[in-house]
Structures are given as C-alpha cells and as structure tokens.
DNA sequence: CGATGGTGTCATGAA
DNA sequence: AGTTCATGACACCAT
C-alpha cells in the first residue's frame, strides 16, 4: 500500500482527483466540457493508463500484503498485529465477495440519490477497502489534498490502524448523500451484522492502502474536520491520523452544517493527540469527550452521535454495542450520560450512590431541596390525579433509580426532568410514552407497570428526597427506635413530612390489609357459623318431629290404657261405665276418682261421684 | 362496557 | 397530645 502511494505523483493525483470530480459532475451538468475537454481527455487517457499500471502494482502489493497479513493477526485488545501461524480462511472469504462488487461502488457513488440497496452495496464495497480501483481513486483524492501524506499507506506491520478501514467508503456517501441517505447510512451502520462485518473487514484490511483523507476540494467542506489534522502530521503518524480523520470527516459529512466551527476546532486541536495513542480503546476514550463537548455546546445530538460513531466504527467487535448506542436516534446517550455524571456528582447520598444521577436531579429539583416543598398531600394529589405527575415522577424515579439501567441515564430523562419541572402537578402523560426509552418494562404490561411502580412509590419518593432511611425502617421501626433514628438525622420539613406520611401510609396499608384479612376471616367464620346453625336447626327440627311422633304414640297408648281401665270398671249393678259419661281423674294424693262428664253434671254431678 | 375483586389511601374514631 | 389501630369509603386497576 505504501508503495501504492509512493507511486502516485502529484500530477497524476491531481488528475485522478479531477477525474473523480468530473465523474461526479457529469450528473450535474456539462462541466467537463467547459473545463477543457481535450486536455482533460488526454490527461484522462494518460490517467487511465497510469491507473491500470497502478492497479497492477496494487494487485501485486495487495497480494504481498495479504501474504503478510496471513501471517499476522490483529490483537483486538492491544490493536497490535501478532504473528499468526495459519491464515484465517474466514476473513479472506469474507473479503472476497465484497471485493467483487467494488467496481460498482464508485459509479454508484456518483449517483445523486442512492437507494437503500445501493447504500448497502456501497457499504459493502466501502468497507472491504483494500481493492484496487477504490484504492486508486482514494489515493488520488488523497494525493491531491494531501501531497505530503502520500505515504500514508500503512504497512501491515503498523498496528493501530483499524480505523482506516472505513476510509474509502465513508467519503463518497458523506459527500453527496442526501439526508435520507445519511440516515440510511446511519441505520446501516447501526446494524449489528454490518458492524460486525465491518469490524471483521477492518481487521482484515487494516493494512490496506486506502486512506483518502481530505478528498477533493469539494470535499473540503467543514465536514472534514480532520483534514487539517492530517496535514499536521507526517509519515507514520500521518497514517495513524488519517484513519480517524477519515472517519470523522466521513460522518461529519453525513450531517453537514451540523458541526459548528468550534467543534471543528476542538476536533482539530485534539487530533494531534490522537497520534500518540491510537489503540482501539484509546480511540473511543479520546472521542467521547469530544462528543460530550459538542453535545453540551451545540444541542445537535447528531454531532455527538457522529463523533461517537466515528470513534465506534473503527472499533472492533467488542465495541459494537457502543456503536449501537451512539448511533441510536437522538444520540444523546453518551452525551447525556456524561453530562449527568458531570452535573450530578452528588450522588453519594448513600441511598443511591450508585443510582443514576437522574435520581438526584428530579428529586432535587422537584422536592429534594424543599424549594418545591411538596408535602406528601401534594404528592398524593398528584397521585390521584390520573393525568398528573404521580406516575410521571414515580415511573421516572423507578427508572432513574435503577443504577444499572443504561437507558435511565440517557438524555430523555433529562427531558423528563425538564418537563416535570415545568409542570410538576399537571399534565401527566404516560411517562413510558414520554420517556421514549426503556419502555419495555412498562409499556407492554400495564398491570405489571402499575404494580411495579405503585409498590415502591414511597421508596422512590424517599429516594427523591434523599431520606437516609429505608421505607421498611420508616414503617416498621417501633416508635422509640423510629424517633431515635429521626433524631440522628437532620431532616428538613419536606423530608419529615414525607417520612411521617410514609410511616402513616405504610402502617395504614398494613392495617387495611389486616382489616381486610380480618373481615374475610370474619366472613368465613360467620359463614361457618351459619352452616353449623343450619345444621343445628335441622337437627332440632328432626328432633321436634320425632318428639311429636313419640308424643302421639304415647297419647295413643294412654288412650288405650284409659279405655282398658274403664272397661274394667263396674257399678253397683255390675254395669260398665261409659267413657263418654265418666272420666277418670287422679287426685293429689294419688287416689283415683271416677268423675262424671260435665255435660251431664246437671243430671248426676252429686250422685255419681264416687271414689274408686 | 359494566360488574367484580384486589389494593392503596384517606378520614375518622377508638384505644 | 401524639401514636397506633380499625374500619368505612373512595379511587384505581385488572380480570
């Protein structure tokens, strides 16, 4: 590759560049003719010849390099190349198909509007890099803008070049991509598969030439932030710089006009430092701060995105996740994280030292400092207002206080905070919708969400106010211990009120549970009692009926006995007494009398009364 | 869409 | 007087 570059002569490079530009211009108009057609054509022919020669050379070089690479393996951790006994077949195979398509790439890049598929193809073509045609072109452009960097080409032995892999590809898209295409590119880049593919290819093609730094004059738009940087460096360092610069410029270009001059200067200033350490990790480390700065200064989330993207792209598979984050819409993740961390160093409250900074922020802003002085009743007011802040802050906290939740650290929360600050009590939209992040746990299952959120609500509030006790302690501690605990800490009014309310609610909740439990137990008991009473009733009824039966039987027996006794009675004449005219009665002393029936008393009440 | 059940909370009174 | 407990009532949510 180096040889490639060395082969290039300024004049030829110019020609290449012009040719490239011309190719591009064809789509726009007849600039070519205006430009001096004959001369151009001659040069073009010469160029073609040179290019062919160069291609041949490049082929040879590449083959040599491949042979070299086959013996070298990139250590992903150190970014160094280490001797590798057997060449890895997968890598080569992966590269090969891409190489095939490379010829197409340049022509398509010239198109004003690339279809998504084209983008894909372009991508595929772009990142394999090490191919001849592309390389040549890129080199040409590079040569024009960076004559001094003609020896940019890396030797396989030079590690730390992973970023370079992207160089050829990114440029074209950045130069003429429409916003849609840019987005498409971003999406493409955010595809894990692609990222992996890219990473692999990067690894594979680290040694390849193509580092089309600052490209054509056209390209020298502000987007190519690192162009100056590349100029600053020479020789080997140059090669190192080139890669990152390339990437950055590429992605900056994808979002032109987004990068403020300040950022550019910052990037430029940082560029030289990059030379020193360009390991993959160092790369990320270097660029993240930049992203933060950009994000903080300009509110364009894309900037941070881009820078992070740039940093990510060269990274190897281990960094892919970060890529995805950085590429995610809004791109505020990283920046937001950094900002929050910077702004909220006070997360050492002990409660939530590891909790996300957001925890402190909303809490502080809304309640913690007491400026709002939300009494619990206020909170409750919100709670019961189905459109108010309750779920908002509760859910927000539920998110915020999840220390490990990366999403909770993201910028959307900051937005939430702001929103809450604006409308603490009113307009509670569904935070899950509002926050557009980490919705998964909540959006899907309302039931879950509610239970998840309502239960720890007081906990969230306590954290919000930085109350140094656990809700469990607040609720369950005996009065004395509770008072002692409270006396040991200096709590402001809001905190005291919240603690009291938490304790009250907690105890009342338990009481209500007990009450309901008792109520249910009472109901069950009463139901049991009812059953037993019914059984008793049945038993008594049956007993009663039995008694009636027995009584009847006894009466019958008595009657029989009575008649029997009458039948045995005789008067003086030896006649029997009629039971209808007389009855037997027993006196208190046990003696039995034969008493005439009342109806006949007029006749013989005196005469017939006679002891038996 | 209304009925029903579960749960948290508040208000109130009693201990 | 302050706290705790018990309970009716209400609101919200899920089934």
């Amino acid at each position: 590759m180096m040889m490639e570059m060395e082969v290039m002569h300024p004049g030829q490079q110019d020609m290449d560049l012009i040719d490239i530009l011309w190719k591009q211009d064809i789509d726009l108009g007849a600039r070519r003719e205006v430009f001096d057609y004959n001369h151009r054509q001659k040069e073009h022919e010469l160029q073609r010849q040179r290019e062919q020669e160069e291609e041949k050379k490049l082929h040879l070089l590449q083959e040599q390099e491949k042979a070299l690479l086959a013996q070298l393996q990139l250590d992903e951790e150190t970014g160094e190349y280490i001797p590798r006994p057997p060449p890895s077949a997968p890598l080569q195979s992966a590269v090969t198909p891409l190489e095939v398509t490379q010829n197409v790439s340049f022509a398509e890049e010239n198109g004003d509007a690339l279809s998504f598929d084209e983008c894909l193809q372009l991508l595929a073509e772009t990142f394999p890099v090490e191919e001849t045609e592309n390389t040549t072109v890129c080199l040409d452009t590079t040569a024009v803008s960076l004559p001094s960097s003609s020896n940019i080409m890396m030797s396989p032995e030079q590690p730390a070049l992973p970023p370079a892999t992207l160089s050829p590809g990114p440029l074209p898209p950045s130069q003429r991509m429409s916003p849609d295409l840019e987005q498409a590119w971003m999406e493409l880049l955010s595809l894990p598969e692609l990222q992996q593919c890219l990473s692999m290819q990067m690894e594979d093609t680290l040694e390849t030439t193509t580092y089309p730094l600052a490209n054509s004059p056209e390209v020298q738009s502000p987007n190519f932030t690192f162009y100056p940087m590349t100029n600053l460096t020479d020789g080997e360092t140059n090669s190192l710089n080139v890669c990152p610069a390339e990437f950055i410029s590429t992605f900056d270009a994808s979002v032109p006009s987004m990068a403020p001059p300040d950022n550019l200067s910052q990037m430029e200033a940082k560029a030289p430092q990059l030379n020193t350490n360009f390991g993959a990790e160092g790369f990320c480390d270097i660029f993240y701060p930049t992203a933060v700065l950009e994000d903080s200064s300009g509110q364009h989330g894309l900037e941070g995105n881009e820078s992070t993207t740039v940093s990510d792209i060269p990274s190897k598979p281990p960094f892919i996740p970060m890529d995805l984050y950085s590429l995610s819409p809004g791109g505020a993740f990283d920046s937001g994280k950094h900002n929050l961390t910077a702004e909220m160093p006070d997360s050492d409250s002990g409660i939530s030292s590891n909790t996300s900074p957001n925890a402190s922020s909303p809490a502080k802003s809304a309640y913690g400092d007491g400026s709002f002085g939300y009494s619990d009743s206020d909170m409750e007011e919100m709670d019961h207002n189905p459109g108010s802040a309750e779920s908002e802050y509760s859910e927000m906290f539920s998110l915020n206080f999840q220390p490990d939740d990366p999403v909770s650290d993201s910028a959307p929360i900051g937005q939430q905070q702001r929103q809450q600050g604006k409308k603490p009590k009113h307009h509670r939209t569904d935070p899950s919708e509002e926050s557009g992040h980490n919705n998964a746990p909540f959006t899907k299952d309302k039931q879950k969400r509610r239970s998840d959120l309502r239960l720890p609500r007081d906990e969230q509030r306590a954290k919000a106010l930085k109350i140094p006790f656990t809700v469990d302690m607040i609720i369950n501690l005996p009065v004395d211990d509770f008072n002692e605990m409270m006396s040991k800490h200096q709590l402001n009014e809001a905190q005291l009120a919240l603690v009291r309310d938490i304790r009250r609610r907690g105890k009342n909740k338990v009481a209500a549970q007990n009450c309901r439990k008792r109520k249910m137990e009472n109901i069950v008991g009463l139901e049991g009692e009812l059953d037993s009473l019914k059984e008793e009733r049945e038993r008594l009824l049956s007993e009663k009926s039995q008694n009636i039966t027995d009584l009847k039987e006894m009466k019958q027996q008595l009657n029989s006995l009575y008649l029997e006794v009458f039948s045995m009675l005789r008067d003086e004449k030896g006649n029997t007494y009629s039971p209808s005219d007389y009855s037997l009665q027993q006196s208190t002393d046990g003696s039995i009398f034969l008493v005439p029936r009342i109806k006949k008393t007029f006749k013989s009440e005196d005469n017939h009364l006679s002891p038996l």
Side-chain angles (χ1 to χ4, degrees):
Chain A
M1 298 309 220
M2 284 176 75
M3 298 176 68
E4 246 181 29
M5 291 299 290
E6 289 171 355
V7 172
M8 304 295 292
H9 304 292
Q12 183 206 332
Q13 291 173 353
D14 288 338
M15 289 307 301
D16 289 341
L17 177 60
I18 292 171
D19 190 43
I20 293 171
L21 292 175
W22 171 72
K23 286 179 180 177
Q24 294 175 349
D25 289 340
I26 285 179
D27 293 338
L28 303 176
R31 238 206 271 173
R32 182 72 159 80
E33 290 75 3
V34 176
F35 182 74
D36 176 8
Y37 180 79
N38 294 329
H39 177 69
R40 184 61 195 163
Q41 224 171 6
K42 287 181 180 177
E43 285 191 347
H44 190 60
E45 289 178 0
L46 290 176
Q47 234 179 345
R48 290 292 182 195
Q49 292 179 357
R50 290 172 187 169
E51 283 182 3
Q52 289 179 356
E53 292 177 0
E54 287 175 1
E55 283 184 9
K56 291 178 182 177
K57 290 181 180 178
L58 278 176
H59 272 298
L60 290 175
L61 283 175
Q62 285 181 352
E63 287 179 0
Q64 292 177 356
E65 287 174 357
K66 281 183 180 179
L68 257 176
L69 272 179
Q71 298 174 350
L72 294 177
Q73 189 174 18
L74 178 62
D75 186 329
E76 293 184 0
E77 291 183 356
T78 61
E80 294 178 353
Y81 280 98
I82 56 177
R84 162 176 65 182
S88 85
L91 281 181
Q92 290 192 0
S93 64
V95 174
T96 310
L98 294 172
E99 292 178 359
V100 175
T101 60
Q102 272 195 328
N103 293 334
V104 187
S105 69
F106 198 75
E108 291 202 333
E109 288 169 1
N110 287 334
D112 282 333
L114 294 176
S115 70
F116 195 80
D117 291 340
E118 286 172 335
C119 281
L120 270 174
Q121 195 174 1
L122 176 62
L123 196 75
E125 298 166 358
T126 292
F127 294 108
V129 177
E130 50 184 356
E131 285 326 298
T132 54
E133 274 204 49
N134 265 345
T135 307
T136 309
V137 174
C138 291
L139 287 176
D140 290 346
T141 59
T142 305
V144 173
S145 59
L146 286 180
S148 63
S149 62
S150 58
N151 53 356
I152 292 169
M153 301 296 82
M154 307 170 51
S155 66
E157 299 80 11
Q158 283 180 326
L161 287 181
T165 340
L166 289 176
S167 50
L171 283 180
S174 65
Q175 290 179 13
R176 57 187 91 72
M177 266 192 172
S178 69
D180 291 342
L181 283 180
E182 294 165 7
Q183 196 172 2
W185 266 91
M186 299 302 278
E187 291 176 1
L188 286 175
L189 290 175
S190 67
L191 293 176
E193 298 82 356
L194 269 178
Q195 301 246 352
Q196 248 180 350
C197 179
L198 290 180
S199 300
M200 287 182 58
Q201 293 182 9
M202 288 184 206
E203 285 183 12
D204 205 18
T205 58
L206 285 180
E207 336 68 23
T208 61
T209 354
T210 51
Y211 299 123
L213 294 182
N215 311 18
S216 58
E218 222 184 305
V219 179
Q220 291 181 352
S221 66
N223 305 328
F224 293 86
T225 311
F226 279 72
Y227 174 59
M229 174 188 79
T230 57
N231 281 335
L232 294 175
T233 57
D234 278 344
E236 357 157 2
T237 57
N238 204 348
S239 64
L240 294 179
N241 290 334
V242 171
C243 314
E246 193 51 33
F247 288 108
I248 292 174
S249 62
T250 296
F251 285 90
D252 281 349
S254 65
V255 186
S257 79
M258 290 293 279
D262 295 346
N263 295 334
L264 295 179
S265 62
Q266 290 179 0
M267 306 265 290
E268 293 176 7
K270 289 197 173 188
Q273 301 175 355
L274 296 178
N275 302 335
T276 57
N277 54 344
F278 212 76
E281 297 130 22
F283 193 52
C284 293
D285 293 341
I286 292 170
F287 280 95
Y288 266 108
T290 308
V292 175
L293 288 175
E294 288 180 356
D295 186 74
S296 59
S297 61
Q299 280 298 337
H300 298 293
L302 283 176
E303 289 179 6
N305 234 356
E306 291 176 20
S307 46
T308 54
T309 303
V310 170
S311 66
D312 290 337
I313 287 175
S315 67
K316 302 157 189 94
F319 297 93
I320 288 176
M322 293 170 58
D323 294 344
L324 296 178
Y325 270 85
S326 62
L327 288 171
S328 65
F333 282 107
D334 298 314
S335 58
K337 195 186 295 181
H338 287 286
N339 286 337
L340 286 172
T341 338
E343 293 171 1
M344 325 272 191
D346 59 346
S347 60
D348 57 350
S349 63
I351 290 182
S352 57
S353 59
N354 60 346
T355 60
S356 88
N358 304 303
S360 60
S361 59
K364 250 186 171 177
S365 60
Y367 314 107
D369 55 358
S371 59
F372 275 72
Y374 275 97
S375 75
D376 190 61
S377 53
D378 287 335
M379 289 175 154
E380 296 309 324
E381 198 178 337
M382 296 185 277
D383 294 350
H384 290 294
N385 184 357
S388 70
E390 182 252 331
S391 67
E392 186 173 359
Y393 81 91
S394 63
E395 294 189 11
M396 178 173 63
F397 292 144
S398 72
L399 294 177
N400 294 341
F401 285 101
Q402 297 189 4
D404 297 334
D405 184 3
V407 187
S408 65
D409 293 336
S410 62
I413 285 184
Q415 297 173 357
Q416 277 188 345
Q417 296 171 9
R418 277 177 242 128
Q419 291 179 357
Q420 191 183 9
K422 290 174 185 174
K423 36 188 174 174
K425 281 193 173 186
H426 308 290
H427 170 69
R428 174 179 57 180
T429 60
D430 190 346
S432 60
E433 300 170 359
E434 209 174 282
S435 61
H437 71 300
N438 197 22
N439 293 338
F442 301 126
T443 52
K444 199 177 177 183
D445 188 351
K446 269 190 175 181
Q447 184 180 4
K448 251 188 189 174
R449 183 182 64 176
R450 176 180 168 83
S451 60
D452 288 349
L453 291 175
R454 290 198 67 138
L455 291 180
R457 189 168 63 172
D458 277 336
E459 221 161 307
Q460 295 166 357
R461 291 169 174 163
K463 287 179 180 177
L465 291 192
K466 294 189 172 185
I467 290 170
F469 322 120
T470 65
V471 171
D472 188 64
M473 290 170 62
I474 293 174
I475 296 173
N476 297 324
L477 235 51
V479 188
D480 294 341
D481 295 343
F482 175 74
N483 290 332
E484 185 181 348
M485 180 182 76
M486 295 288 283
S487 63
K488 285 179 181 176
H489 293 79
Q490 202 72 359
L491 300 179
N492 62 34
E493 209 164 322
Q495 286 174 320
L496 288 174
L498 179 59
V499 168
R500 280 196 300 268
D501 284 329
I502 289 174
R503 188 173 173 86
R504 174 178 55 77
R505 274 196 295 267
K507 287 194 171 299
N508 184 248
K509 184 166 73 179
V510 174
Q513 289 169 348
N514 291 334
C515 182
R516 285 169 177 142
K517 186 181 176 183
R518 270 194 304 274
K519 186 188 284 183
M520 293 304 296
E521 288 173 352
N522 283 339
I523 291 173
V524 171
L526 289 174
E527 285 175 351
E529 193 177 344
L530 180 62
D531 289 342
S532 64
L533 287 175
K534 284 179 178 176
E535 289 176 3
E536 175 83 0
R537 179 173 177 269
E538 292 301 319
R539 186 181 58 80
L540 291 174
L541 285 176
S542 63
E543 189 178 335
K544 178 188 173 187
S545 63
Q546 183 62 43
N547 290 337
I548 290 172
T549 305
D550 291 347
L551 181 61
K552 283 182 179 176
E553 187 178 353
M554 289 175 71
K555 281 183 177 178
Q556 285 180 351
Q557 289 175 356
L558 178 60
N559 191 44
S560 302
L561 183 61
Y562 188 84
L563 292 176
E564 185 179 351
V565 169
F566 256 91
S567 64
M568 295 172 71
L569 291 177
R570 295 291 184 277
D571 59 5
E572 302 87 8
K573 299 176 182 175
N575 297 326
T576 60
Y577 291 99
S578 169
S580 57
D581 295 336
Y582 297 90
S583 68
L584 290 174
Q585 295 185 4
Q586 186 178 24
S587 66
T588 53
D589 61 354
S591 56
I592 303 296
F593 296 91
L594 182 64
V595 180
R597 298 286 182 185
I598 296 178
K599 58 180 181 182
K600 296 179 180 178
T601 49
F602 294 111
K603 285 186 179 176
S604 58
E605 63 180 6
D606 292 337
N607 300 335
H608 298 89
L609 183 60
S610 60
L612 291 177

